[in-house]
Amino acid sequence: MKRAWVVFVVVVVGHMMGVAEGLGVIWGNQAAQNLHPRNIVQMLKDNNITKVKLFDSDAWVVKHFGGTGIEVMLGIPNLHLASLADRYKHAPEWVKANLTRHLHEGGVDINRKRAIFESLQQVQLADNLSRALEHPKGDKRSWLGDKIKATIPQNADVYDSGSKGPSTGDFRPDIRATMKQIVQFLRDNNAPFVVNIYPFLSLSLNPDFPIEFAFFSGGAKPVQDGQITYDNMLDANLDTLVWSLRRANSGNVPIIVGEIGWPTDGDKYATVDLAKKFYDGFFTKISKSKGTPLYKDEIEYYLFGLTDENMKSIAPGDFERHWGVFRYDGQPKFPTGKGMAVGAKNVKYLEKKWCVYANNSEETSEQLSASMEYACTHGDCTALKYGGPCSKLDNSTKVSYAYNMLFQMMYQDVESCDFGGLAKIVTVNASVGNCLFPIALDTDWAWRPGQARPPLLCSPSSCRCSCCWTCDYKKDCVVIFK
Ligand SMILES: *[C@@H]1O[C@H](CO)[C@@H](O)[C@H](O)[C@H]1NC(C)=O
Ligand SMILES: *[C@@H]1O[C@H](CO)[C@@H](O)[C@H](O)[C@H]1NC(C)=O
Ligand SMILES: *[C@@H]1O[C@H](CO)[C@@H](O)[C@H](O)[C@H]1NC(C)=O
Ligand SMILES: *[C@@H]1O[C@H](CO)[C@@H](O)[C@H](O)[C@H]1NC(C)=O
Ligand SMILES: *[C@@H]1O[C@H](CO)[C@@H](O)[C@H](O)[C@H]1NC(C)=O
Ligand SMILES: CC(=O)N[C@H]1CO[C@H](CO)[C@@H](O)[C@@H]1O
């Protein structure tokens, strides 16, 4: 899900790892509507998932995990990260304001809690941050102490495997010095190295990638590295990291996979079938708790992600909005035999109303494509290409799909189903075959990031701008309480 060059910054709160404790999931909330946190809590419990990672520290969301026994990792918004790194005193201030405030009796479980500061930044920033987190006066131990651990998550492209496989692996030459400094900071503070590994991206970005190597069914030509045979990318990748850490004199640093998953739409390789194949193999692998050929401890994994996010940036690709093991409404996309099988229960939806292309006027094809472009820009059309079920619709049904997505993302606001008279609201299910025309979640259920309770609704007419969904709606739009 992340671009190749990004790094992340993480602060881990709570007792330290070493012993893995199973599977975590990432709940991102860049969707027009998100399930209520209490339903997420229930879903996690139903699936025996005890760890969740959130990308920001929205206090209202975090509060719902209090007393549930679920460990929470919290992210830091990007914009805060730079200032956190630039001056020494900012980091303690941020930690106090956003993190330690949750750590009280009856709050989010302090002993089992971890928090993540996370952001998309360059290596230099991570480097600055590791210095900001060190004690002044040259003490290498972080001022964060034992309760909060700092780590700086990386994408797997910060290391290369070299010519002979994992055993010749090392951090990339261009950033090696910085990476060395970062991992030694981790080592000195008993903090984990967090790495994001996406076999899907390796496959999707590299036409020569042997497809079966992305999965766990042993169908690919194995990589022979001395005595060790690698038949899947994940193990080979992790052992490359093990070697890279060893070469940085930090071989004991524990490893956590901070993100792993497979999207279901928006790319040639993003299909329900391949995602199911990936997850089936992955769940079988982790149920054996064996680590990798070189890393014998059980590894902790965070799945990306729990649900689809239809407002995520699609700069990396249309698949960005389809990483969920579950749909937008917490319903399973495919059966997973092990792990993550149980969907959200008692989900409430808005009325059974769809917005579709009316086909009753003399519109020109220019008007039609302009309306489609509007709907796709402000809504979500990422399911209309690349071979997924909605890509097979005929053109005019695609227009209906686009209209409906925007209509639902606008909480079925009637004014959002106008499109200059080209659209109409219907009560007959507009879904076609396996292409779901979704219904919005009930407003008592749904929320958007940063949104106060009760849910706010901002419609195009009240906004007088076409950017409710892309701009900061709190600033740019008039907000109506429903
Ligand atoms: C969760 O764990 C309980 C107790 O071990 C078990 O009975 C149940 O089947 C598990 N649920 C899932 C979805 O794995
Ligand atoms: C890192 O710190 C240096 C020196 O304090 C500063 O010049 C630079 O802008 C910082 N980089 C980032 C990305 O914050
Ligand atoms: C639109 O309506 C015309 C006239 O009724 C019909 O011939 C045509 O098939 C319709 N097109 C669509 C896409 O429904
Ligand atoms: C459908 O749309 C595509 C691209 O917009 C266009 O190339 C194609 O000719 C259209 N098909 C019909 C039947 O209108
Ligand atoms: C509409 O039909 C689809 C099947 O095509 C189904 O999955 C969906 O649940 C239906 N929606 C509603 C609201 O009944
Ligand atoms: C997400 C969040 O709660 N951020 C807060 C972190 O702390 C700063 C400084 O107090 C606040 O401005 C942010 O709102």
Side-chain angles (χ1 to χ4, degrees):
M1 119 192 178
K2 297 301 192 285
R3 276 55 60 190
W5 44 266
V6 300
V7 295
F8 304 89
V9 175
V10 179
V11 171
V12 179
V13 177
H15 72 120
M16 227 21 257
M17 43 274 317
V19 188
E21 297 165 298
L23 187 65
V25 297
I26 300 165
W27 180 37
N29 55 30
Q30 291 184 53
Q33 299 188 302
N34 296 277
L35 287 169
H36 196 285
R38 66 172 171 259
N39 300 101
I40 297 297
V41 168
Q42 190 58 48
M43 260 175 102
L44 297 180
K45 286 183 168 172
D46 289 345
N47 288 291
N48 295 337
I49 303 275
T50 56
K51 291 178 297 190
V52 68
K53 173 167 144 188
L54 310 171
F55 284 116
D56 61 45
S57 57
D58 183 304
W60 177 79
V61 174
V62 174
K63 193 180 71 189
H64 285 84
F65 291 90
T68 60
I70 295 172
E71 288 181 9
V72 182
M73 284 192 180
L74 301 179
I76 179 177
N78 297 354
L79 60 138
H80 290 183
L81 195 62
S83 78
L84 201 127
D86 83 345
R87 287 225 323 271
Y88 168 71
K89 76 178 175 62
H90 284 159
E93 279 167 8
W94 198 92
V95 168
K96 187 156 170 259
N98 297 288
L99 195 61
T100 35
R101 62 184 286 208
H102 297 299
L103 304 180
H104 56 83
E105 231 26 72
V108 178
D109 192 350
I110 183 165
N111 284 329
R112 312 204 57 225
K113 172 168 180 261
R114 296 182 190 146
I116 287 210
F117 292 177
E118 178 149 19
S119 192
L120 314 179
Q121 301 293 336
Q122 307 284 352
V123 169
Q124 180 58 47
L125 181 52
D127 186 32
N128 282 12
L129 193 73
S130 76
R131 276 185 275 115
L133 294 169
E134 278 172 8
H135 250 290
K137 311 236 161 81
D139 183 347
K140 288 285 176 208
R141 306 269 301 170
S142 171
W143 53 266
L144 289 163
D146 286 335
K147 280 208 179 106
I148 301 178
K149 296 291 183 188
T151 179
I152 297 155
Q154 310 289 347
N155 279 340
D157 71 341
V158 296
Y159 45 85
D160 287 326
S161 66
S163 54
K164 298 215 178 72
S167 65
T168 47
D170 201 347
F171 290 113
R172 258 171 35 206
D174 56 324
I175 52 171
R176 191 170 292 156
T178 306
M179 288 308 301
K180 214 164 165 176
Q181 185 177 345
I182 291 170
V183 299
Q184 289 173 358
F185 170 81
L186 302 179
R187 179 196 65 195
D188 294 343
N189 287 284
N190 190 26
F193 190 100
V194 177
V195 60
N196 303 330
I197 300 179
Y198 283 108
F200 162 78
L201 291 182
S202 303
L203 181 58
S204 166
L205 298 174
N206 179 0
D208 299 328
F209 192 88
I211 176 162
E212 288 300 327
F213 207 55
F215 301 96
F216 305 93
S217 29
K221 182 168 173 284
V223 170
Q224 193 65 37
D225 188 11
Q227 301 297 307
I228 303 174
T229 307
Y230 293 97
D231 65 2
N232 69 83
M233 179 214 159
L234 181 60
D235 279 347
N237 191 304
L238 284 167
D239 280 359
T240 306
L241 172 58
V242 169
W243 276 107
S244 307
L245 290 170
R246 287 180 185 174
R247 295 204 158 96
N249 300 324
S250 305
N252 292 333
V253 170
I255 295 172
I256 290 180
V257 175
E259 297 183 14
I260 189 167
W262 200 284
T264 56
D265 209 338
D267 184 83
K268 183 164 81 154
Y269 293 112
T271 67
V272 166
D273 287 346
L274 290 181
K276 180 170 167 18
K277 177 172 169 161
F278 177 80
Y279 280 114
D280 283 350
F282 177 74
F283 286 135
T284 302
K285 174 182 168 57
I286 63 170
S287 67
K288 295 180 189 147
S289 307
K290 282 229 292 263
T292 72
L294 292 183
Y295 190 92
K296 298 296 180 194
D297 287 335
E298 188 179 348
I299 293 175
E300 212 176 307
Y301 292 94
Y302 282 83
L303 291 190
F304 187 77
L306 190 60
T307 51
D308 282 349
E309 296 172 82
N310 59 16
M311 286 170 64
K312 240 179 144 231
S313 161
I314 51 170
D318 284 8
F319 56 83
E320 277 295 299
R321 295 182 178 169
H322 301 276
W323 284 101
V325 174
F326 296 95
R327 292 184 337 203
Y328 74 105
D329 56 354
Q331 303 311 303
K333 294 176 177 176
F334 49 85
T336 60
K338 309 184 181 72
M340 307 285 284
V342 186
K345 292 183 182 137
N346 307 317
V347 178
K348 284 202 213 126
Y349 301 86
L350 292 183
E351 286 173 63
K352 296 191 177 191
K353 287 196 293 197
W354 292 262
C355 178
V356 297
Y357 170 47
N359 187 29
N360 55 11
S361 55
E362 299 285 304
E363 71 274 357
T364 62
S365 63
E366 285 76 24
Q367 285 169 319
L368 199 56
S369 57
S371 73
M372 174 93 172
E373 193 183 323
Y374 179 88
C376 291
T377 306
H378 302 288
D380 175 26
C381 295
T382 53
L384 295 183
K385 290 181 270 177
Y386 304 107
C390 301
S391 70
K392 306 193 169 79
L393 302 177
D394 63 43
N395 282 2
S396 63
T397 316
K398 282 184 177 168
V399 174
S400 293
Y401 180 91
Y403 288 176
N404 184 62
M405 284 303 282
L406 184 59
F407 176 61
Q408 305 298 341
M409 287 169 77
M410 301 296 261
Y411 289 79
Q412 299 187 353
D413 178 359
V414 286
E415 294 188 46
S416 71
C417 184
D418 181 36
F419 297 100
L422 301 184
K424 64 178 179 191
I425 294 171
V426 297
T427 54
V428 177
N429 192 338
S431 303
V432 180
N434 287 330
C435 176
L436 178 75
F437 280 51
I439 294 283
L441 300 173
D442 187 283
T443 43
D444 284 346
W445 275 62
W447 66 282
R448 289 212 305 278
Q451 181 175 266
R453 308 256 81 208
L456 308 175
L457 180 72
C458 86
S459 74
S461 54
S462 65
C463 293
R464 297 274 170 245
C465 72
S466 55
C467 64
C468 295
W469 308 97
T470 48
C471 307
D472 179 349
Y473 61 91
K474 277 184 291 191
K475 280 200 207 113
D476 295 350
C477 306
V478 179
V479 168
I480 314 162
F481 281 84
K482 204 182 182 197

